[in-house]
């Protein structure tokens, strides 16, 4: 069974997908981390990501996506990956920085990068029961997925979550100015992702939309587990 969870940044995709995979005993794949790993490497290589991308930049990005192996690390007795690697370099922390947040949009919009990573995602997803999350899983990667969930939340709520998460990770207090910057970036990225020519962020026609703005993680998870179990029984 393939469960596709799509939605914009900060809607709770990663958290809920991981918990759902654990609850159902499925594998889990964070496709967004794959694009972030390519974006991180692009920043390391000082690739010009200003838009429109030059042909040289496109070729450099494709070379990374096609040739540099992206892998996931596991802690003993844990079913879900806890680390992300590219070329055997641990980039788990580095791919979650504001710099990568900004760089990942033009990288993920490049058709050749998406094609290279989509092939990897399909190979992984076709071999096992899996929960996959991203922005085009139900529309492009697995249009025939058994269940498609489209998670959403207001931009303000998503920016609030990301600011709290960043503060907790850095051991610092909540920063209102950081919230404003993150909110602006989320709005920018939503517009970019929804209007890009290659694999735009849209809900699949047969997806079930779940708005998490006023839901706790537990509430959203319980709702999706119920939907998934009903879909599994009806197969």
């Amino acid at each position: 069974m393939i469960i596709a969870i799509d939605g914009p940044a900060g809607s709770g995709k990663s958290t809920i997908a991981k918990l759902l995979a654990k609850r159902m005993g499925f594998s889990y794949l964070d496709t967004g981390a794959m694009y972030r790993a390519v974006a991180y490497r692009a920043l390391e290589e000082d690739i010009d990501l200003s838009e429109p991308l030059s042909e040289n930049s496109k070729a450099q990005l494709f070379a990374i996506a096609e040739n540099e192996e992206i892998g996931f690390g596991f802690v003993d007795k844990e079913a879900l990956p806890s680390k992300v690697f590219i070329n055997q370099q641990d980039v788990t922390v580095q791919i979650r920085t504001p710099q990568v947040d900004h760089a990942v949009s033009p990288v993920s919009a490049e058709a050749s990068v998406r094609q290279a990573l989509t092939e990897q995602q399909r190979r992984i997803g076709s071999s096992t029961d899996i929960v996959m999350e991203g922005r085009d899983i139900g529309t492009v990667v697995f249009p025939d997925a058994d269940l498609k969930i489209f998670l959403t939340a207001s931009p303000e709520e998503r920016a609030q979550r990301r600011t709290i998460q960043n503060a907790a990770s850095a051991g610092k207090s909540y920063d209102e100015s950081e919230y404003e910057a993150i909110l602006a970036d989320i709005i920018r990225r939503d517009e970019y992702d929804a209007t890009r020519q290659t694999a735009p962020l849209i809900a699949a026609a047969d997806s079930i939309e779940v708005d998490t703005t006023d839901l706790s993680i537990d509430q959203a998870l319980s709702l999706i587990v119920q939907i998934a179990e009903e879909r599994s029984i009806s197969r």
Side-chain angles (χ1 to χ4, degrees):
M1 183 179 188
I2 297 172
I3 301 177
I5 299 183
D6 293 310
S11 57
K13 295 191 307 296
S14 293
T15 300
I16 289 174
K18 290 175 182 176
L19 292 172
L20 179 63
K22 277 188 173 181
R23 181 75 65 87
M24 300 193 69
F26 283 17
S27 298
Y28 161 79
L29 180 63
D30 178 0
T31 61
M34 299 173 76
Y35 289 99
R36 285 177 169 273
V38 175
Y40 171 75
R41 286 286 296 116
L43 293 175
E44 268 202 327
E45 295 294 324
D46 201 26
I47 296 174
D48 182 5
L49 297 179
S50 57
E51 299 179 88
L53 292 175
S54 68
E55 292 304 315
N56 184 55
S57 292
K58 291 179 181 181
Q60 289 176 295
L61 290 174
F62 175 68
I64 293 172
E66 179 76 0
N67 301 317
E68 300 195 11
E69 181 181 359
I70 299 172
F72 296 87
F74 295 81
V75 175
D76 286 346
K77 299 182 181 179
E78 285 291 330
L80 303 179
S82 58
K83 292 186 178 297
V84 183
F85 299 89
I86 186 165
N87 271 0
Q88 299 183 331
Q89 177 188 359
D90 184 349
V91 294
T92 308
V93 175
Q94 293 92 323
I95 65 172
R96 302 298 175 183
T97 63
Q99 291 80 6
V100 173
D101 283 350
H102 191 78
V104 73
S105 288
V107 169
S108 61
E110 172 49 34
S112 64
V113 171
R114 300 200 73 85
Q115 181 178 357
L117 296 187
T118 292
E119 290 305 314
Q120 292 191 47
Q121 293 157 16
R122 285 175 176 159
R123 284 196 299 271
I124 296 170
S126 297
S127 62
T128 184
D129 288 331
I130 196 167
V131 177
M132 301 181 71
E133 55 103 346
R135 283 175 169 72
D136 64 347
I137 308 303
T139 53
V140 175
V141 182
F142 279 105
D144 296 325
D146 300 285
L147 174 61
K148 303 174 188 179
I149 300 292
F150 192 84
L151 282 187
T152 187
S154 70
E156 292 78 12
E157 175 64 18
R158 289 185 279 135
Q160 177 97 319
R161 293 171 183 172
R162 183 61 59 83
T163 307
I164 292 171
Q165 182 183 51
N166 289 352
S169 297
K172 61 182 182 180
S173 59
Y174 184 92
D175 187 335
E176 184 67 30
S177 63
E178 182 179 9
Y179 163 79
E180 295 295 340
I182 290 174
L183 176 60
D185 192 62
I186 281 176
I187 292 172
R188 175 197 65 80
R189 190 171 176 189
D190 282 355
E191 174 67 17
Y192 186 100
D193 288 347
T195 58
R196 68 190 182 201
Q197 291 187 338
T198 302
L201 173 62
I202 56 174
D206 55 346
S207 66
I208 299 172
E209 183 170 318
V210 176
D211 188 332
T212 67
T213 301
D214 297 317
L215 296 179
S216 68
I217 292 296
D218 286 343
Q219 289 172 327
L221 176 64
S222 295
L223 175 60
I224 296 171
V225 167
Q226 179 181 352
I227 295 169
E229 289 178 343
E230 290 172 355
R231 184 65 57 90
S232 179
I233 291 171
S234 68
R235 289 173 67 208

